């Protein structure tokens, strides 16, 4: 069980990446808006939730960076925005969870704020 606890973050980010890729393929026709593309944003939300729950883990930043690189290379073929956004979201989530109380409303506001800024 101890070995599983060490890999929980990596497994969660991998599942978020797989779900984002799979669901975006099947839900893309219904998520388009005026001939544009809509993203599900599952990977950034997963990084934020992990940062909220485990704010003492120093490896989380590097895991978010690795997930960003792998995600960008898989979906786009080049290093792109997730490489920079996911570690920033991880750092923001760690800071936010230490400053604000652990209430659903505060965590939801933090998610909305962080995802909105990352989309810009």
């Amino acid at each position: 069980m101890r070995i599983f606890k060490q890999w929980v973050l990596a497994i969660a980010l991998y599942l978020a990446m797989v779900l984002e890729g799979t669901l975006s393929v099947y839900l893309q026709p219904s998520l388009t808006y005026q001939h544009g593309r809509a993203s599900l944003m599952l990977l950034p939300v997963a990084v934020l939730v992990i940062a909220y729950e485990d704010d003492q883990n120093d490896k989380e930043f590097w895991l978010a960076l690795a997930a960003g690189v792998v995600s960008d290379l898989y979906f786009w073929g080049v290093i792109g925005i997730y490489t920079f956004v996911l570690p920033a979201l991880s750092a923001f989530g760690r800071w936010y969870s230490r400053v604000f109380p652990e209430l659903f409303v505060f965590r939801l506001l933090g998610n909305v704020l962080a995802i909105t800024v990352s989309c810009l």
Side-chain angles (χ1 to χ4, degrees):
M1 193 65 171
R2 184 176 145 225
I3 293 174
F4 181 70
K5 285 184 179 181
Q6 293 176 350
W7 291 96
V8 167
L9 297 178
I11 292 169
L13 288 179
Y14 175 75
L15 288 176
M17 192 172 9
V18 168
L19 279 175
E20 183 171 1
T22 304
L23 291 176
S24 66
V25 167
Y26 292 114
L27 297 177
Q28 195 66 38
S30 63
L31 291 177
T32 56
Y33 177 71
Q34 293 181 354
H35 306 292
R37 295 183 66 192
S39 176
L40 295 175
M41 301 298 285
L42 290 178
L43 196 56
V45 169
V47 167
L48 279 171
V49 168
I50 289 171
Y52 291 155
E53 294 301 321
D54 191 15
D55 62 343
Q56 301 298 324
N57 192 356
D58 294 331
K59 297 176 186 175
E60 182 181 310
F61 177 81
W62 297 107
L63 197 61
L65 179 67
V69 169
V70 169
S71 174
D72 281 337
L73 289 177
Y74 179 74
F75 290 120
W76 301 105
V78 295
I79 293 179
I81 193 71
Y82 272 177
T83 303
F84 305 106
V85 167
L86 292 184
L89 286 176
S90 175
F92 173 77
R94 291 178 70 186
W95 171 80
Y96 192 84
S97 67
R98 291 179 184 158
V99 172
F100 291 99
E102 192 174 339
L103 295 172
F104 177 74
V105 173
F106 285 107
R107 300 293 166 97
L108 182 63
L109 288 174
N111 271 352
V112 169
L113 176 71
I115 297 299
T116 302
V117 169
S118 71
C119 285
L120 294 175

